Amino acid sequence: MGLSDSTAIAGTVPESRRSLAARLRVIFMRSESLRGYALLSPTLIVMLLGMCLPFALMVAMSFWTQRGFDIDISFSLTNYGSAISSPIYEALLMRSLAISGTCAIVTVLLSYPMAYYVAFHVHRRKMLWIILMTLPFWTSYLLRIFAWKIVLGWNGVINSGLKSLGIIDQPLEFLLYSPTAVVITLVHAWAAFAILPIYVSLEKIDRSLLEAAADLGDGPVQRFLRVTLPLSLPGVIAAMLLIFVPTVGDYVTPALVGGPDGIMIANMIQAQFGKVNNWPMGATLAIVMMIVLTIIAVVYIWLTRKLAEWIS
Amino acid sequence: MSDVGYIRRHNRPLYFFALFYLAFLYIPVLFLPLFSFNDAIYVAFPIKGFTTAWYEQMLTNEPMHAALVNSLKVGAASSAIATMLGIFGAKAVTKYRIKGEKPVVSVIMLPLVIPGIILGVALLILLSRIGVTLSLYTVTLGHILICVPFSMATLMARFEGFDKSMEEASADLGDNVWWTFWRVTLPLVAPGVIASLLLCFTISFDEFIMAFFLAGTEPTLPIFIYGQLRFPQKLPSVLALGACILVVSFVVVFVSQWLQRRDDPAAQGLGN
């Protein structure tokens, strides 16, 4: 559409007599890409400015240094030096990666059967199930963490419940303020990010492939391992990444349920912008975290591609 | 028909797993409303007795009301602006074949995979260097950035579904681009637009990580709640507030999801 108008213009007016503006207009009307970009431009400009400017400045700041209450804006690698040399940052980063990695794996393992059930065994009211599975995700993040604090707390639902039933005398202390509590809370919070991609990839599987496998003599287990699982891997792979990356940067969950052993790298970053008041160091840590995450993501995607090639 | 009947058959273990999974998703959250009616300061079993005192306390809590109003303002502004940007973006991507569409769309979707703390901290640095005072406006700015990807994804699904010939017919009948959009496109995509508005509002209303860095002296509701969590004697009224928020957001999201998925988008514009 629209294309017909522009060819009409081009056909009636000789090339030489058209003004520059008209010629630009024709170019514009003829090029679908240009018109697309024109329509896209408000969104693209806002998003580019909103992300690029802050990132550029954050990179710049990571090379500055904090001196008392002032910031020295001469170029220096001091922050990166201390980020790499001090063991506390490395320990926190490794712990964050471990917690988020565990969380991503556990969430995917728990969500796969659920997504499988809805994709293959629910026939009526499928939409209701999908909404039910994703609804908690849309409710307040803070309240969900708070809910787990109530459940796991020293005097919380599990402990006080078990105590009033007479099963335990002393509250179980390992429940709250531990890395385990962080993992449980995060698995609960990010479940939708595993269910949806896995569900979509399972739903897309051509059912006739399963019939073909059955006709060729595969049993249910073989059919799952040779047809369903490989074809649903894209969803699984996407889910792992979608959960892993943002959870590394979470500081609210560790702050509320992690305790001293559950503190993560993002808590350190937040502290630099808060009570420690060393913004350049905070910027450096944020960038180091981004770089590590990007490397992990790239290696992960590369590995999974290789794996996919190797399978097929 | 070969033997894939096992798929159609009811699978009992999987069914129980699914129920267990839903329980895991919902039960912890449901403790908030349960304990919000409990007549005790401490959140613990056994339940002491029924009371609505915490709700009454909530009704007279002025700072809480102020925070609620702040959150409503930020949510309304950021959902409206993000949805507008989402309409432009989704329309452009679905209507035209754009060179380099994939990378461009990925850039717009980036906030989905960037940890919130990074975006929040980077914006904080920028705003403080150019001397902008932190306020509800800066929170709104941050929320627009994280809402646009959700809005665009919601709307793209909707725009892809409808029949282009409706728009072409309108154009052929002499409507200009804006009239076509207003009279044909918008009514067709209205459910998508409403879904996007509701989702963006919910995201903004609940968002804490960025707001924590970008809010000035006026707290949004999550920031207010976070501040209250430190005081044990204030927990019950937070429970009451949390229960109210849960009920409202469950309803809002249910409606928006329903609107979005009610009918197969592919069937849009065909039947009637």
Side-chain angles (χ1 to χ4, degrees):
Chain A
M1 0 93 250
L3 212 66
S4 51
D5 309 329
S6 57
T7 45
I9 296 170
T12 48
V13 186
E15 194 77 20
S16 54
R17 278 170 53 194
R18 265 183 295 141
S19 68
L20 182 68
R23 245 183 270 173
L24 283 178
R25 192 180 137 78
V26 170
I27 291 174
F28 180 74
M29 290 307 284
R30 273 188 182 168
S31 162
E32 219 179 315
S33 278
L34 275 181
R35 277 186 294 163
Y37 274 109
L39 193 56
L40 190 61
S41 57
T43 317
L44 194 58
I45 289 170
V46 168
M47 295 308 279
L48 279 178
L49 287 185
M51 288 191 291
C52 293
L53 282 184
F55 276 127
L57 200 59
M58 184 164 75
V59 172
M61 186 177 250
S62 71
F63 294 109
W64 301 345
T65 33
Q66 185 86 29
R67 303 213 187 286
F69 287 105
D70 297 317
I71 290 174
D72 176 3
I73 60 168
S74 53
F75 180 88
S76 141
L77 286 170
T78 326
N79 294 330
Y80 285 94
S82 51
I84 292 166
S85 61
S86 42
I88 173 86
Y89 299 133
E90 196 197 324
L92 284 179
L93 186 61
M94 294 317 279
R95 182 196 284 161
S96 308
L97 297 179
I99 289 180
S100 300
T102 316
C103 162
I105 293 169
V106 172
T107 315
V108 165
L109 284 181
L110 280 177
S111 303
Y112 195 97
M114 182 74 199
Y116 184 91
Y117 176 75
V118 179
F120 286 105
H121 293 281
V122 175
H123 302 292
R124 282 178 304 147
R125 303 221 188 95
K126 221 170 203 166
M127 194 195 72
L128 185 70
W129 273 90
I130 295 168
I131 294 181
L132 269 181
M133 289 188 307
T134 49
L135 195 53
F137 165 72
W138 295 106
T139 63
S140 169
Y141 190 47
L142 206 55
L143 288 176
R144 276 179 289 156
I145 303 173
F146 179 47
W148 279 104
K149 212 174 146 87
I150 293 174
V151 173
L152 300 172
W154 194 74
N155 217 343
V157 170
I158 294 181
N159 276 328
S160 61
L162 289 178
K163 233 163 58 176
S164 58
L165 289 174
I167 296 173
I168 53 170
D169 301 328
Q170 290 299 313
L172 305 169
E173 284 180 16
F174 64 88
L175 286 178
L176 193 62
Y177 303 128
S178 65
T180 319
V182 179
V183 171
I184 294 176
T185 310
L186 287 176
V187 166
H188 181 255
W190 291 87
F193 278 70
I195 290 181
L196 279 183
I198 296 173
Y199 169 77
V200 168
S201 64
L202 283 169
E203 188 65 43
K204 265 198 257 172
I205 294 175
D206 189 346
R207 301 301 195 266
S208 57
L209 289 175
L210 291 168
E211 289 184 27
D215 290 344
L216 294 171
D218 274 357
V221 176
Q222 276 169 312
R223 260 174 306 196
F224 176 76
L225 290 178
R226 289 170 46 165
V227 180
T228 317
L229 187 61
L231 286 175
S232 65
L233 274 184
V236 172
I237 289 166
M240 294 275 283
L241 207 58
L242 274 177
I243 295 168
F244 178 76
V245 174
T247 49
V248 173
D250 191 2
Y251 66 88
V252 191
T253 311
L256 285 176
V257 302
D261 293 336
I263 293 287
M264 287 162 64
I265 186 77
N267 297 86
M268 190 49 107
I269 297 174
Q270 188 235 325
Q272 303 295 328
F273 287 88
K275 45 181 191 261
V276 180
N277 196 26
N278 186 346
W279 287 29
M281 190 68 222
T284 308
L285 289 177
I287 286 166
V288 169
M289 183 178 109
M290 279 293 277
I291 293 173
V292 170
L293 282 179
T294 312
I295 293 173
I296 293 178
V298 168
V299 169
Y300 174 79
I301 291 171
W302 182 81
L303 273 180
T304 47
R305 287 245 170 93
K306 284 280 158 212
L307 187 74
E309 278 168 25
W310 180 73
I311 287 178
S312 62
Chain B
M1 180 74 196
S2 51
D3 136 73
V4 272
Y6 79 98
I7 283 179
R8 309 230 169 279
R9 231 177 293 138
H10 198 61
N11 186 321
R12 200 160 277 273
L14 261 184
Y15 176 68
F16 281 121
F17 180 84
L19 290 185
F20 159 78
Y21 194 101
L22 284 182
F24 168 71
L25 282 185
Y26 282 88
I27 287 178
V29 176
L30 291 178
F31 280 119
L32 294 178
L34 175 68
F35 282 105
S36 72
F37 290 108
N38 187 22
D39 192 7
I41 287 275
Y42 295 105
V43 179
F45 281 117
I47 302 271
K48 292 270 193 294
F50 179 84
T51 179
T52 54
W54 312 124
Y55 286 88
E56 284 154 28
Q57 223 175 62
M58 189 182 77
L59 289 178
T60 55
N61 191 334
E62 291 297 332
M64 188 186 280
H65 297 167
L68 174 67
V69 171
N70 290 342
S71 272
L72 291 176
K73 281 186 205 161
V74 172
S78 41
S79 62
I81 297 172
T83 301
M84 224 155 66
L85 292 173
I87 292 176
F88 279 119
K91 192 71 211 161
V93 170
T94 49
K95 183 166 176 181
Y96 300 110
R97 259 177 295 123
I98 300 176
K99 279 193 199 105
E101 176 182 315
K102 246 187 159 176
V104 167
V105 173
S106 320
V107 166
I108 295 178
M109 295 293 170
L110 262 186
L112 281 179
V113 289
I114 298 178
I117 187 172
I118 303 262
L119 221 48
V121 160
L123 275 172
L124 172 66
I125 293 174
L126 175 72
L127 293 169
S128 76
R129 288 313 283 190
I130 58 177
V132 177
T133 323
L134 296 180
S135 65
L136 293 180
Y137 291 105
T138 51
V139 180
T140 308
L141 177 70
H143 284 180
I144 291 171
L145 286 183
I146 49 168
C147 285
V148 165
F150 281 97
S151 166
M152 216 173 126
T154 308
L155 289 166
M156 268 160 68
R158 199 74 207 181
F159 285 167
E160 259 157 20
F162 77 80
D163 196 349
K164 278 186 184 167
S165 60
M166 304 273 271
E167 276 188 321
E168 286 170 28
S170 161
D172 288 347
L173 292 172
D175 277 355
N176 66 26
V177 179
W178 297 105
W179 263 116
T180 304
F181 181 80
W182 183 246
R183 300 207 313 193
V184 178
T185 316
L186 200 59
L188 278 177
V189 297
V193 172
I194 294 170
S196 158
L197 282 172
L198 292 176
L199 287 190
C200 292
F201 184 84
T202 327
I203 293 169
S204 162
F205 192 77
D206 287 338
E207 208 282 335
F208 173 77
I209 292 187
M210 288 176 80
F212 180 79
F213 290 106
L214 299 176
T217 48
E218 299 166 280
T220 59
L221 203 54
I223 294 176
F224 174 82
I225 294 175
Y226 190 72
Q228 302 285 296
L229 292 182
R230 275 175 296 168
F231 310 107
Q233 71 275 19
K234 294 201 169 153
L235 278 190
S237 64
V238 173
L239 284 171
L241 173 68
C244 296
I245 296 178
L246 279 182
V247 170
V248 173
S249 52
F250 267 39
V251 171
V252 167
V253 174
F254 197 89
V255 168
S256 77
Q257 296 275 308
W258 191 271
L259 280 174
Q260 199 188 337
R261 301 169 199 263
R262 180 181 46 179
D263 32 33
D264 186 9
Q268 266 296 307
L270 289 178
N272 33 22

